[in-house]
Amino acid sequence: MAEADHLPAGINPNVPSVARMYDYYLGGRDNFAADREAAEKMIEIGRRMGNDARELALANRAFIGHAVRMLAETGVRQFIDIGAGLPTQDNVHQVAQRHAPGSRVVYVDNDPIVLVHARALLARDPNVLAIEGDLKDPDAILDDPRVTEHLDLSEPFAVLLVAVLHFIPDDAEANRIAARIRDRLGPGGHLVLSHLLYSGDAVKGAATAGQQVYSSTTSGGLARRGYDEIVPFFDGLELLGPGVVPVTDWTPDASPGGSYDLSRGGVLAGVGRVKS
């Protein structure tokens, strides 16, 4: 993206955006110099942890594809992607409609530039909607008249919180958000979630450095959570596939209860279903 003069209201190209940083990790061009500078800092921090931020971003995108395909093939036809980020290849609606034509999707984000791109991309698809919304108020999203007109929330639907809940640094608030979404899912509903993992003394310094980088972004902060803090986001749900495991190891047919390396941190991912 050129450092353009004509930007949507609310966009400051000098303040890094988590959505545009993620776009940079994925090799996209919808980012500014400030985004690239912050992303490069995170790439270097990841190297010190033994991770590659670009590899993790790509694995996270692959996880979305695996999860959405798995759910579409088992009958889920409605998806709400909160913190959707900038459109890329194999978006939720593309994967869902490929495996279950007629699937309906709502994309939610609070970044104006994300909404501009999403609405331009989706303008011709009546099964897809993009709205502004705040993760901190899931009821406002689920009760939005545009959402309730687009989806039938009395039927099963999936909520995606992919690489977004770690931007809620307060543990109590993050747990409240996840719990409220679980309460709203209903029978047959699903939660698809991935979250940055900081595990063990070896990554403490890198975690602190990462928090400093993200404190200057539009997110305002970054949580430092380990496995035992992330798994409870699925409390009361039946875990599918391999369970909550590193995103680089997540496929629907991976071995449940297998041996996974959590020592380097990275990203954890899982899919949970409301028990019948």
Side-chain angles (χ1 to χ4, degrees):
M1 178 184 290
E3 316 300 309
D5 295 327
H6 305 291
L7 293 172
I11 294 296
N12 183 347
N14 298 313
V15 176
S17 155
V18 295
R20 298 191 304 264
M21 288 171 65
Y22 190 61
D23 175 73
Y24 179 74
Y25 297 143
L26 292 172
R29 298 182 179 180
D30 292 317
N31 47 73
F32 298 111
D35 308 308
R36 296 189 285 273
E37 181 180 354
E40 284 292 341
K41 289 179 181 177
M42 290 303 299
I43 289 169
E44 178 55 33
I45 290 167
R47 288 195 186 106
R48 299 206 299 268
M49 296 170 64
N51 289 310
D52 184 317
R54 291 190 174 96
E55 176 186 309
L56 290 174
L58 290 168
N60 198 60
R61 289 301 306 176
F63 163 66
I64 295 174
H66 290 315
V68 171
R69 175 179 178 175
M70 178 176 70
L71 298 188
E73 290 180 340
T74 57
V76 178
R77 297 292 181 268
Q78 303 184 112
F79 300 84
I80 303 175
D81 186 358
I82 301 177
L86 287 157
T88 181
Q89 294 182 344
D90 270 354
N91 297 288
V92 171
H93 73 284
Q94 293 168 319
V95 177
Q97 292 175 0
R98 184 183 309 139
H99 299 285
S103 293
R104 301 180 76 82
V105 176
V106 175
Y107 291 110
V108 184
D109 211 290
N110 62 0
D111 187 322
I113 207 163
V114 168
L115 295 170
V116 167
H117 281 264
R119 287 166 178 160
L121 175 70
L122 306 173
R124 298 180 183 178
D125 192 333
N127 288 324
V128 187
L129 174 70
I131 67 166
E132 182 176 3
D134 189 342
L135 170 65
K136 294 178 181 179
D137 192 352
D139 283 313
I141 294 170
L142 295 171
D143 293 332
D144 188 304
R146 294 166 295 178
V147 174
T148 56
E149 181 179 351
H150 191 71
L151 304 179
D152 180 357
L153 299 185
S154 68
E155 295 293 324
F157 63 95
V159 172
L160 283 73
L161 299 180
V162 178
V164 63
L165 205 56
H166 47 238
F167 295 122
I168 305 293
D170 183 85
D171 290 340
E173 185 171 25
N175 284 316
R176 175 191 62 80
I177 291 167
R180 189 61 191 140
I181 289 173
R182 294 195 306 268
D183 289 344
R184 294 293 303 268
L185 287 173
H190 293 75
L191 174 63
V192 178
L193 183 146
S194 68
H195 192 293
L196 278 173
L197 168 69
Y198 291 107
S199 178
D201 293 338
V203 300
K204 281 186 177 179
T208 299
Q211 288 175 314
Q212 291 173 346
V213 172
Y214 275 99
S215 67
S216 66
T217 70
T218 53
S219 75
L222 184 69
R224 183 167 68 185
R225 298 189 178 106
Y227 181 86
D228 290 340
E229 288 77 45
I230 297 170
V231 170
F233 294 140
F234 294 95
D235 276 357
L237 302 180
E238 176 189 2
L239 291 172
L240 305 184
V244 183
V245 302
V247 71
T248 49
D249 296 311
W250 209 102
T251 61
D253 56 355
S255 173
S259 178
Y260 299 97
D261 181 10
L262 302 177
S263 63
R264 293 189 306 161
V267 177
L268 284 184
V271 179
R273 175 172 57 203
V274 175
K275 298 175 183 177
S276 303

